[in-house]
Amino acid sequence: MSVIIQTENLTRKIKDKTIIDNFTFAFEDHHIYNILGPSGAGKSSLLRLLNRLDEPSGGSILIRGKNQCEFKPSEIRRRVGYLFQTPYLFSETVRDNLLYADDRLSESQMKEHIEAVHLTGDFLDTPIDNLSIGEQQRVALARLLALNPDILLLDEPTSALDPTATEAIEKLVREIVDQSKFTVIFITHNPQQAIRMGGRSLLMVKGKLIESGDSEQVVNSPRTEMGKLYKERKLQ
C-alpha cells in the first residue's frame, strides 16, 4: 500500500495552548482509520489541518509526497473531502446539491451517486427540507463523492443519528472503502464504533498521538498507560 497523506511533526497552537502536538503518521491508500480520544484531544482539529481549513503552526502535511502548501486550497478540498458532524446542505433539492459539487454531472451520473449512498434516483428532486437527518447525511456524502476525492474525512458523521441511521452510515462507509480506492479517516467518540468500522485506530490525547494499530487491539488491549486509562474511561 502506498502512503496517500502523511504528517510530520504537525503542530497547531492557538495563543499559548497546543492543540496538535508533533503529530506524525502516514495514512495509506484504501484503509479506514478511526480517530479516538477524549473531548479536547484534537481530533477535529487534526481533520481541519488535513483539509487546510486551518493552518499548522509547525511541521508539515504531505499529499502523495508533495507538501500541502504546494496545492491550491480548492484542489485540496477536492482531493481531501470533509463531511461535517451535522450535514450542511444548500436549500432547494438533492439535485441542486450534487450539481453544486460538479455542474457537469449528467442525469445518470447523479443517479449513480445518489444510489451509491443507498437512496433511489427519484430522491434527486426531493426538497432538502423533506429529508430526515439520516437522509441528509447520505446526500451530503453523495455530494462529497461527486467531487471524486482521494480521501474522505468524516467528523463524527453519526453523532446526530438514531441507531438505525447510524448502522446504515457505518455500513455505507465500509462499502465505499471496500468497493473503491478511498481512504477514510473517521472520527468517533465511541470505541465500540471503531471496532465495528474495523481498519486501524489512532488514539489521541491532548493533541498527541498516543498509540495506533488494529482497531480491536487499540480499544480492547491498549499497549500504553494512557491507552489503558482511556479504555477504563478515566480520561475526560
Side-chain angles (χ1 to χ4, degrees), residues 1-233:
M1 294 288 181
S2 61
V3 173
I4 187 169
I5 191 165
Q6 181 174 0
T7 65
E8 296 180 350
N9 299 316
L10 187 65
T11 300
R12 177 164 168 78
K13 295 182 179 181
I14 299 178
K15 295 184 178 178
D16 294 329
K17 185 175 182 180
T18 299
I19 308 300
I20 301 294
D21 191 353
N22 288 304
F23 190 101
T24 297
F25 192 79
F27 297 91
E28 297 180 339
D29 275 325
H30 197 55
H31 279 293
I32 292 177
Y33 293 92
N34 304 288
I35 309 293
L36 294 164
S39 297
K43 302 184 293 296
S44 294
S45 295
L46 174 65
L47 260 58
R48 291 180 63 86
L49 290 171
L50 296 180
N51 190 251
R52 209 175 174 187
L53 290 172
D54 292 330
E55 296 293 334
S57 305
S60 60
I61 299 171
L62 307 177
I63 301 174
R64 299 281 189 204
K66 184 177 178 181
N67 196 293
Q68 186 193 62
C69 297
E70 298 179 43
F71 293 91
K72 294 180 180 178
S74 59
E75 175 68 6
I76 292 173
R77 309 281 154 69
R78 189 191 67 76
R79 299 183 67 168
V80 185
Y82 198 130
L83 186 67
F84 292 91
Q85 204 170 34
T86 301
Y88 179 79
L89 297 172
F90 302 105
S91 57
E92 307 304 330
T93 67
V94 172
R95 180 190 303 275
D96 294 318
N97 277 268
L98 293 181
L99 289 174
Y100 178 83
D102 185 348
D103 59 11
R104 300 165 298 176
L105 290 174
S106 66
E107 187 77 9
S108 62
Q109 287 173 320
M110 284 189 285
K111 287 183 177 180
E112 181 180 340
H113 286 305
I114 208 66
E115 288 169 0
V117 297
H118 296 180
L119 295 174
T120 58
D122 56 12
F123 265 83
L124 285 173
D125 293 310
T126 302
I128 295 302
D129 292 342
N130 291 358
L131 301 178
S132 69
I133 292 295
E135 289 168 342
Q136 288 181 28
Q137 193 65 293
R138 293 194 205 184
V139 171
L141 183 55
R143 184 179 62 189
L144 200 57
L145 295 177
L147 294 171
N148 194 30
D150 298 318
I151 305 164
L152 297 178
L153 307 178
L154 308 184
D155 192 350
E156 295 197 55
T158 64
S159 62
L161 306 182
D162 61 37
T164 299
T166 293
E167 183 180 354
I169 292 292
E170 289 175 354
K171 180 181 178 182
L172 177 57
V173 172
R174 291 194 301 268
E175 287 178 356
I176 287 171
V177 174
D178 288 341
Q179 297 170 8
S180 70
K181 296 180 180 179
F182 290 129
T183 290
V184 171
I185 303 176
F186 189 107
I187 290 180
T188 177
H189 64 280
N190 184 346
Q192 295 307 309
Q193 183 173 51
I195 291 175
R196 292 195 300 271
M197 294 305 297
R200 303 173 186 177
S201 285
L202 288 71
L203 175 63
M204 293 182 67
V205 178
K206 295 183 179 179
K208 293 180 183 244
L209 176 59
I210 300 302
E211 64 178 287
S212 63
D214 175 81
S215 292
E216 189 162 0
Q217 175 265 305
V218 170
V219 172
N220 290 329
S221 304
R223 300 187 179 100
T224 64
E225 288 304 313
M226 199 74 77
K228 292 172 184 175
L229 289 174
Y230 179 71
K231 177 187 176 183
E232 295 167 4
R233 301 189 177 186

